[in-house]
Amino acid sequence: MNDFTNEFKQAKEAYNNTPIPSELPKRIQAGIREGKTGYRKRRNQRIRRFIAAAACFALMLTGLNLSLAIANAARVPVLGGLFQILTFVDYSKSEDGINYSISAPMVDASNSLAEKINTAIQEKLDRHLAKAKQDWDDYKNAFFATGGTEDEWADREMEVIIDYEIKSQTENQVSFMVSLSEGWVSSYEERYYYNLDFTKDRELTLQDLLGDDWITICNTAIQKQISESVDADGFTFFFSPDQGGFTTVDESTAFYIRGDNTVVVCFPKYSIAAGAAGNLEFVIQMPEN
């Protein structure tokens, strides 16, 4: 028997003969109970949050055979502890000629505002996906009804894109946009803006940000920028008021908040100008006192 074997044997005997303190089993059991209690509490909190969020987005996935990455914790950095914006649904998939590219946000906060916004986003996503599928089915039926062939149809595709963008964020507030688009023979895009104040558990309004004179402030700034768009030949993409052009902002006017706290008012494509002008944004500067 070599020296290493002797040393190992002696160490083993010493270990086996070491007396165990009488209080050790109680300490171990107490530690186990404490660990289990903490684990269960954290686990239950995560499960409740996940179930609530999953239920919120479940309808969006109905009828679509898509591989998903749900609650993938692709988190936008947060400066405070009142809320988080999560990329809750994130996937790309091609099915029946439709190419889906979807990145959907979820507001994670312990108040009624988060639930309200998540429900609103879910409803818009459900509606957008259902409309895209119906548009594609209608187009396919019309294509074959007018003499199209299988070979010709095989080259046709639709793009369905859902995405979002954080416009600004502080420890108490966030401003973000959700965009829903569809592209094939024709195309369109919808944009929805959310400006949330978590200290007051509410959505911010233009009046909150610009004061009681917010309509005049916005209208003056927008009219000025429309006038500046006219070129030397008198051409502008903007419609005149009698042609459906801009007249005034109101409570339904969309906007977001930039990182420097500047308000930007938004109008969809075709709403007050020719389509070539795209989605329209107007920077609203507070008047100098």
Side-chain angles (χ1 to χ4, degrees), residues 6 9 21 42 51 59 78 91 102 110 113 124-125 134 142 151 164 174 187 205 233 237 269 280-281:
N6 287 329
K9 183 178 180 180
R42 293 189 300 271
I51 289 174
L59 290 178
V78 179
Y91 65 80
I102 299 181
S110 57
L113 179 61
K124 291 178 175 62
L125 301 189
Q134 187 61 56
D151 288 341
Y164 74 98
V174 65
S187 63
T205 67
D233 297 322
F237 285 116
K269 189 176 181 180
L280 302 165
E281 297 186 349

Side-chain angles (χ1 to χ4, degrees), residues 82-260:
L82 293 181
F83 70 96
Q84 295 183 92
I85 305 297
L86 309 182
T87 303
F88 184 68
V89 178
D90 191 8
Y91 65 80
S92 297
K93 177 78 173 185
S94 296
E95 184 174 74
D96 297 331
I98 303 178
N99 300 319
Y100 297 93
S101 178
I102 299 181
S103 181
M106 180 187 74
V107 181
D108 182 17
S110 57
N111 55 33
S112 60
L113 179 61
E115 181 178 355
K116 174 186 174 182
I117 298 303
N118 289 336
T119 299
I121 293 173
Q122 173 210 331
E123 291 173 351
K124 291 178 175 62
L125 301 189
D126 289 343
R127 186 170 61 249
H128 179 65
L129 291 172
K131 179 184 182 302
K133 185 68 166 58
Q134 187 61 56
D135 287 345
W136 191 238
D137 289 344
D138 290 345
Y139 173 53
K140 183 177 182 179
N141 292 335
F143 178 83
F144 286 115
T146 54
T149 67
E150 289 287 352
D151 288 341
E152 292 171 331
W153 177 256
D155 295 330
R156 284 163 168 72
E157 294 181 332
M158 170 188 270
E159 302 293 330
V160 175
I161 301 172
I162 297 174
D163 203 358
Y164 74 98
E165 178 184 355
I166 305 293
K167 294 295 187 178
S168 65
Q169 185 173 338
T170 69
E171 61 184 54
N172 301 321
Q173 297 180 2
V174 65
S175 179
F176 67 96
M177 175 195 71
V178 177
S179 62
L180 316 173
S181 63
E182 175 185 310
W184 43 301
V185 173
S186 60
S187 63
Y188 82 98
E189 180 185 26
E190 297 177 2
R191 295 183 175 186
Y192 298 94
Y193 298 85
Y194 300 92
N195 305 284
L196 311 180
D197 183 342
F198 290 92
T199 57
K200 298 181 179 179
D201 196 20
R202 65 170 182 169
E203 293 187 71
L204 293 167
T205 67
L206 287 169
Q207 184 173 3
D208 293 331
L209 299 167
L210 300 174
D212 292 339
D213 201 27
W214 64 277
I215 293 178
T216 300
I217 293 172
C218 288
N219 288 349
T220 301
I222 292 169
Q223 292 288 6
K224 180 175 184 295
Q225 292 170 64
I226 290 175
S227 298
E228 291 173 348
S229 73
V230 180
D231 66 15
D233 297 322
F235 173 79
T236 179
F237 285 116
F238 289 92
F239 305 138
S240 62
D242 61 330
Q243 294 174 325
F246 175 75
T247 55
T248 184
V249 296
D250 57 31
E251 287 80 3
S252 66
T253 301
F255 71 95
Y256 67 85
I257 307 167
R258 291 195 321 200
D260 59 359

Side-chain angles (χ1 to χ4, degrees), residues 24-77:
L24 182 59
K26 294 181 180 179
R27 292 182 180 178
I28 292 174
Q29 291 301 320
I32 291 173
R33 287 194 298 270
E34 183 179 352
K36 285 183 176 179
T37 300
Y39 169 76
R40 289 194 188 102
K41 183 177 180 181
R42 293 189 300 271
R43 182 193 62 183
N44 291 339
Q45 287 174 342
R46 290 195 298 269
I47 290 174
R48 284 194 296 268
R49 180 175 294 175
F50 177 80
I51 289 174
C56 181
F57 282 90
L59 290 178
M60 188 190 71
L61 311 176
T62 302
L64 293 176
N65 181 22
L66 303 172
S67 60
L68 307 181
I70 295 182
N72 64 353
R75 298 166 182 255
V76 175

